[in-house]
Structure formats: C-alpha cells, structure tokens
Amino acid sequence: MSIEPSTPPSRPRTIRGHREGRLGRSPFGPTGPAVLLAVGYGVAVAAWTLAGDVLPGGRWLAVHLFTLGVLSNLVLAFADHFGTTLTRSPAANLTGRLVVANVGAVLMLTGVVQGRRALLGVGATALTGAVMWSWWQLRRMRRRAVGARFAWIVRVYERAHGMFVHGALLGVLMGLGVLSGPWYVSARVAHLHVNVLGWGGLTLLSTVVFFGPTLARTRIEPGADDRAAVVLRHGATGLSVGTLLLLGSGVGGVLGVVVRCLAAVALGVFAWAATTTCSAVVRAALRSRGAPARWSVVAVGLWFPAMVWADVAVVAYGWWDRLDALGVAVGMGVLLQAIVGALTHVAPMLRGRTFAGRDRMVARFERLATIRVALFNAGLLAVVVAITIGGAAGAVMSRVGWGTVGAVVTSHLLAGLVPARTSPESPVVSRVASRYRRDG
C-alpha cells in the first residue's frame, strides 16, 4: 500500500481501485457479527458480575455467559477465519453456525437456571452440533490444503473443538444430576479444565504463535512455529489425558489420590507446551515498539504459563478451593486480555471506513495503551488476591479490582465502537499514518 507524496494530509488516503479514501472490505469482515455478539454477551457478564446473586443464575450464569457467549462466539468465528486463511480455502458462510450456537446457548442456560431439563438437553445438543459443524469444516479445509505452512494450527483447532464436545457432555451430565457426590466434584474439575484450557486455552496458544507477533507489529521468532507445532501436539494430548484422569479421580481413596497425581503430571506436559509457546511470543513482542496491543501480548504470555503451572500444583495437592481464584486469573488475565488485545487490532479494520478513519482509531487505541494494560493487570491481581484471602479486606480489594478491570475494558469498547471522524489529522494521527505509509 502506498500514497503519493502530494496527497494533502487533511484528506483521506486513497488506494487504486476504490473511491477516494475508501477502504475495501476488511479481511476480518466475516467475524463482525460474532464480535458484536461477544460484546453483547460481555455486557451481560458485567451486569451479572456486578449484581452478584440478585439476578437469576448469579455467578454461575456470569461465568457461563462468558464461556458460552463471549468465548465461544469468538472461537467459532476466528478459528474459521484463520483456518480459511492458513489453508487458503474458500470462505464458508458462518451465519448458520452462529445462529445454531447462540440459540443453543440461550436455551441451555435458560434450562439450567429454570430447572427445565428438556431445554437444557435441546440447547446443549444444538450448541454441540454447531461446534461439531465447525470442527467438520476445519477438518475438511485442512485435508484439502496442500503445502500449507500453518495447517498444523488448524489441526490444533480441531482438537480444541473436540475438547469442547467432551466438556459439554460433562456439563450436561452434571446438569441432569447423573453425576453426584465425589463424581460430581471430579467431573466439575474436569469440565473446567477441558473447557477453559482446552476450548479457550488451546485455541489461543495455537493462534498466538503467528497472530501475537502480528498484534505487536513484529516478526515471528525464527523456528517458533516449528517448535510450537511439536509441543502443542504433545500439550494437547497431555491435557486430554489429564482431563480423563481428573474425572477418574472421583473413585476416591488412595487410588483416587494416585490418579489425581498422574493427572497433575499430564497437565504438566500442557504447562510445558504453554511455556515454550508463550516464551517465544513474549520475546518477539518485547522487540516491538509502539503497537497498542504489545503489552497485552506480553501480559498474556506471562499470565498463561504462570497459571497453568499453578494449576498443576492445585491438582497435585487437591486444593480445589483455589480453583476460583485460578479460574478468574485464566479467564480474565489470559482469555479476556487476549480478546481485548485482538479487538484492538481488528476494530480499526472493521470500523474504519477510510484510511484516515482507520488511522484515527489506531491512534485512539495507542493513547495511554501502556497505562491501560498496567491498570487492567493491577486490577486483576487485586481480584485474585481478594478471592484468595477473603474477609472484609478481600471484599474491598475485590470491588476496587473489578472496578478497575471494568473501567479499562469499557474504555476499549468505547474506543472500538465510537466511529472515527474524518477531521484534519492531529500530530498523533499523522505519526500513525506515517508509520503505515512507511511499513506499507
């Protein structure tokens, strides 16, 4: 992409083949509906989190609005987008899958909250069907790809989709009351691992290998993709084995302890894979300069290995009361922070109608970017500590922490949703535009 030197700085830039100052269709355009759905679910998550147990479903519903609403919509959309791109396959219509998935999620959550098992069963079937539909599309794209360098990433996406199906099955069995007593506890722990670390975490790890450096506006570290292809294959197997062993730990007694310790060893393989993958991404991001999402990428790359190794310790010792704090740290410090960082990159492409408008949105995200990331992580750390210590002091820390995290996320949403005006460029916008001209 280039621009003539004589173009006035106050006018939108032009590109051959388009009307003056107009951008062509964004490559992330097909993900737009899923992003809007995720934002809507995110608002609901905030409402249920702030309301506590006042609203139906309470904290349980807030968690599942995030995993089934925010996370699942984005995983389905971006796995399809990157799968299509990496395998050079023709784009398929995502609308049907999103409709089935969201109708299923709403029916499932309504069935659990209202105690209506029929709705739970129908909703879970529809949601699982949508994920299997996506899995089949990814598998078909990968098998048809010839010589695609990153086809292995699509294979990891497939494994993450398979883990969602297993997690959904465990969730339905718990919701229907089939599993009880110690088996309910072991199934719940297995359900959390396969959904949070499998469906969300494994998808993130395979994506961050190439998309993390893109967010940080730098190059992938030489050999990082080859290493990730190997370690993530073993890590996914370790997570699968660990989840099965966690479920088997419900047998109780000495045998249950042995099975639980073996599960910790298997999860250690996943933690090793996460550490190896994230380390390369962090090193690449630290070499970058000026990208709005740079520090978000670094923070995610530090939180993820720390939390999965902490999870290994929690499983080894059976500290199930620490899972709440761990779940918040992974959900907010890893998954939500990665989502916010990705949307910082995608939003200008989706919302910017002209080159100048896109540049203004990028400049908007760049302002105070480092401070926002610092505040987000400080707030998150306060929440995790508050959950761990409890009591009156913990309650105060929790309110302050959640308020800080909410304020930062809200500022990102406003920056991405408010249209950018095409007024004369400010010095900050001019600097951003100049960088794009130089790099483009």
Side-chain angles (χ1 to χ4, degrees):
M1 181 172 60
S2 62
I3 181 172
E4 296 299 328
S6 60
T7 302
S10 61
R11 295 176 60 190
R13 289 181 283 155
T14 62
I15 185 171
R16 181 178 299 177
H18 297 285
R19 290 178 297 172
E20 183 180 32
R22 303 296 297 181
L23 281 164
R25 185 180 180 185
S26 167
F28 289 97
T31 66
V35 171
L36 290 177
L37 284 168
V39 170
Y41 277 106
V43 173
V45 171
W48 257 264
T49 300
L50 293 174
D53 294 326
V54 176
L55 295 176
R59 179 179 171 275
W60 179 91
L61 188 58
V63 171
H64 285 78
L65 283 171
F66 177 76
T67 55
L68 300 182
V70 177
L71 182 61
S72 293
N73 274 297
L74 294 177
V75 169
L76 287 173
F78 282 91
D80 179 82
H81 169 76
F82 289 127
T84 299
T85 302
L86 297 174
T87 60
R88 303 181 183 90
S89 301
N93 194 335
L94 188 63
T95 304
R97 275 171 278 173
L98 290 180
V99 170
V100 174
N102 283 276
V103 170
V106 171
L107 291 177
M108 180 179 172
L109 296 177
T110 302
V112 173
V113 172
Q114 296 184 354
R116 301 170 65 177
R117 294 187 174 184
L119 280 182
L120 169 61
V122 172
T125 301
L127 179 56
T128 304
V131 174
M132 287 300 298
W133 184 356
S134 179
W135 171 85
W136 180 78
Q137 292 278 12
L138 291 168
R139 184 177 178 83
R140 185 176 64 171
M141 288 189 292
R142 178 177 59 84
R143 288 192 163 187
R144 290 180 176 178
V146 178
R149 175 186 177 186
F150 290 108
W152 64 268
I153 292 176
V154 182
R155 174 63 179 131
V156 179
Y157 288 163
E158 294 173 41
R159 299 192 70 170
H161 279 57
M163 290 184 185
F164 176 91
V165 174
H166 291 99
L169 177 60
L170 289 173
V172 170
L173 292 176
M174 290 187 292
L176 295 177
V178 176
L179 299 172
S180 59
W183 288 107
Y184 181 90
V185 174
S186 64
R188 178 177 177 270
V189 175
H191 171 77
L192 289 172
H193 280 76
V194 79
N195 276 295
V196 176
L197 296 183
W199 177 233
L202 195 57
T203 301
L204 173 61
L205 283 175
S206 54
T207 303
V208 80
V209 173
F210 69 95
F211 197 48
T214 299
L215 294 178
R217 296 181 191 159
T218 187
R219 294 181 179 277
I220 187 172
E221 187 176 84
D225 54 324
D226 293 330
R227 290 192 297 272
V230 175
V231 299
L232 288 181
R233 183 172 69 251
H234 296 313
T237 301
L239 181 58
S240 298
V241 172
T243 300
L244 290 173
L245 290 171
L246 283 172
L247 179 61
S249 65
V251 69
V254 175
L255 180 59
V257 173
V258 172
V259 173
R260 191 189 71 228
C261 291
L262 291 175
V265 173
L267 292 174
V269 177
F270 177 76
W272 159 72
T275 303
T276 302
T277 303
C278 289
S279 296
V281 175
V282 169
R283 287 192 298 268
L286 289 175
R287 291 195 300 268
S288 173
R289 294 291 182 272
R294 173 196 178 198
W295 290 112
S296 293
V297 173
V298 172
V300 169
L302 295 177
W303 273 104
F304 204 154
M307 291 304 99
V308 289
W309 282 115
D311 179 64
V312 171
V314 166
V315 171
Y317 289 96
W319 293 333
W320 305 136
D321 58 328
R322 310 290 176 87
L323 281 178
D324 286 343
L326 203 59
V328 169
V330 174
M332 308 297 284
V334 178
L335 299 178
L336 178 60
Q337 191 158 207
I339 290 170
V340 171
L343 294 184
T344 298
H345 177 80
V346 172
M349 299 185 188
L350 293 176
R351 299 286 293 165
R353 300 303 181 186
T354 65
F355 287 111
R358 185 188 63 180
D359 291 343
R360 284 183 176 81
M361 291 198 71
V362 173
R364 186 187 294 169
F365 281 117
E366 283 192 353
R367 295 188 189 103
L368 305 177
T370 304
I371 294 176
R372 283 198 298 268
V373 173
L375 288 174
F376 179 95
N377 285 277
L380 172 62
L381 186 60
V383 172
V384 173
V385 172
I387 295 174
T388 303
I389 64 175
V396 174
M397 288 184 66
S398 179
R399 284 194 293 270
V400 173
W402 281 118
T404 304
V405 170
V408 173
V409 174
T410 300
S411 71
H412 276 281
L413 290 177
L414 292 176
L417 294 177
V418 176
R421 296 178 298 174
T422 56
S423 56
E425 292 180 348
S426 68
V428 176
V429 176
S430 297
R431 186 172 66 250
V432 174
S434 297
R435 181 163 57 247
Y436 273 114
R437 296 184 186 109
R438 183 181 66 250
D439 297 342

